[in-house]
Amino acid sequence: LPALAVLTAAAAGWLALSALPPLNGLVSSSRDSSNTEHLATTQEQRRVIAVFGATGVQGGALISALAAHRYEYSLRILTRTPRTWPGIEVVVGNMNDDSVLDTLFAGVWGVFLVTFSDFERDGAEALLGERVAARALAHGVQHLVFSSGIRTGFPFMDAKADIEDRLRAMAFPRALYLQSGFFYENLVLKGGEPRVRCNATHIIFSSPMPSAIKVAMHAASTIGRLAARSFLTPAAFANGAAVRVVGDYITGDEFAAAAAAHLGPTRTAVYEAIPVDALPSLIPGRAGERIAEMYRWYIAGGMAAIDATHVVGAHGEETVRSWLLSDGAALVAEACALLASSP
């Protein structure tokens, strides 16, 4: 598959997420059959944590990290698609539906909040994030962890920073703001859509970033693991702390070189930059031009002053090499397998 076609397919997946219709607040509960009696007797003592993005990497990592603490914490997730999830209460619906949020937040102690970028509508992401958080606070939520972003000064890149400002004004009893950057996973697989190209001799990573420009990156799963640390040991982070997450500060070429060292001798890993000017024709609507503007700004040095202040691995974040050893190599193999099985 050409690199641009891969990006087009991924973009279609992003846009499709925002187009899904809201569902009713259906609740299902699926609990592990083992130790059922113990679960029942301790349910009143367990703290309930509501998880957004549970089917993604961030929320999934949080759920995995809390799995060993199921006698202390009960998990409740929001998803658009009805499903069963052993040991976890499932609320089916949309985060823009107040009745669904009321079901989700009833009796909840903690919330892990993830919002999704909206390049089409100015301010829509910030308004939705504020609305969800206000509903959580009205239900007496005590501990909020938000997957935020650092303020850049570039308007539509700052939606998560805008949400963070509004959440701070709400004065949750305890809060943590995890300011994420570019995910390693974005170069491999996102929303089930491969971002990498594979053939018998090469694995090709690509993005609109030129190959020699350094980018602050980290594993998406790091956000979920740090959130779990905050819930398990609230004193691990100062109340109201803004934690910038950086696992590595590398170029596309350096990413590919690290991958080459872990993906075996039969394939060569390389990085190719996608032309920024091609993005508006690849991504429909206003989003294509806005994403292109964002990359032009970044390439022109828009993030240079901010990147100069980062600290790599300050909170135990994985470098790209350690991520490849733990999860990344398997994710690359999964993406290549998906491509091989596609018509």
Side-chain angles (χ1 to χ4, degrees):
L1 290 175
L4 301 184
V6 171
L7 182 62
T8 305
W14 302 332
L15 296 173
L17 285 175
S18 61
L20 289 173
L23 299 173
N24 294 326
L26 173 68
V27 179
S28 65
S29 181
S30 176
R31 304 193 186 281
D32 192 332
S33 59
S34 62
N35 298 306
T36 303
E37 182 177 348
H38 183 84
L39 285 170
T41 58
T42 61
Q43 186 171 3
E44 292 301 318
Q45 288 75 43
R46 288 185 296 166
R47 287 173 163 175
V48 181
I49 297 174
V51 181
F52 290 82
T55 58
V57 179
Q58 297 181 60
L62 168 64
I63 291 169
S64 295
L66 293 178
H69 303 272
R70 59 188 180 136
Y71 299 135
E72 304 164 64
Y73 298 90
S74 176
L75 297 178
R76 185 181 297 162
I77 70 169
L78 177 67
T79 177
R80 290 184 176 94
T81 306
R83 61 179 295 172
T84 58
W85 200 317
I88 295 176
E89 193 173 6
V90 178
V91 176
V92 180
N94 212 309
M95 65 192 297
N96 59 13
D97 186 324
D98 286 345
S99 65
V100 170
L101 294 177
D102 289 338
T103 301
L104 180 70
F105 292 141
V108 162
W109 169 79
V111 170
F112 176 59
L113 177 59
V114 178
T115 60
F116 302 96
S117 299
D118 189 334
F119 289 103
E120 294 289 342
R121 299 173 297 171
D122 290 337
E125 181 184 359
L127 286 172
L128 180 57
E130 180 182 26
R131 175 181 167 185
V132 170
R135 210 77 183 181
L137 191 62
H139 279 271
V141 167
Q142 297 294 300
H143 192 146
L144 172 76
V145 179
F146 175 51
S147 180
S148 186
I150 195 165
R151 185 167 295 283
T152 67
F154 195 71
F156 56 84
M157 283 182 66
D158 284 345
K160 289 176 174 55
D162 291 341
I163 296 171
E164 179 179 324
D165 288 347
R166 298 178 190 189
L167 269 52
R168 288 183 181 280
M170 292 181 190
F172 279 85
R174 188 159 199 95
L176 175 67
Y177 304 96
L178 298 171
Q179 297 178 338
S180 64
F182 192 87
F183 298 152
Y184 301 141
E185 292 89 346
N186 287 351
L187 290 171
V188 181
L189 187 72
K190 183 177 176 67
E193 294 288 344
R195 297 284 190 88
V196 67
R197 289 172 289 148
C198 315
N199 58 41
T201 59
H202 287 78
I203 295 175
I204 304 169
F205 302 98
S206 58
S207 85
M209 197 66 70
S211 61
I213 291 183
K214 287 185 177 291
V215 179
M217 304 176 70
H218 62 85
S221 56
T222 298
I223 299 294
R225 290 169 186 155
L226 291 176
R229 187 190 302 174
S230 177
F231 288 132
L232 293 171
T233 312
F237 302 96
N239 190 17
V243 173
R244 188 174 184 201
V245 183
V246 182
D248 232 326
Y249 186 48
I250 56 175
T251 68
D253 283 345
E254 289 168 339
F255 184 97
H262 292 280
L263 298 178
T266 59
R267 286 175 172 171
T268 300
V270 297
Y271 177 85
E272 291 182 355
I274 298 169
V276 173
D277 290 343
L279 296 179
S281 63
L282 294 170
I283 303 173
R286 197 178 185 189
E289 184 52 48
R290 289 198 148 188
I291 292 171
E293 288 176 25
M294 176 184 72
Y295 275 103
R296 291 187 191 106
W297 172 82
Y298 200 120
I299 292 165
M303 285 288 290
I306 296 170
D307 285 341
T309 67
H310 73 256
V311 179
V312 172
H315 307 283
E317 300 96 320
E318 295 176 302
T319 65
V320 67
R321 292 182 184 276
S322 59
W323 171 74
L324 284 160
L325 284 171
S326 61
D327 300 313
L331 193 68
V332 173
E334 179 185 345
C336 290
L338 283 171
L339 289 171
S341 64
S342 62

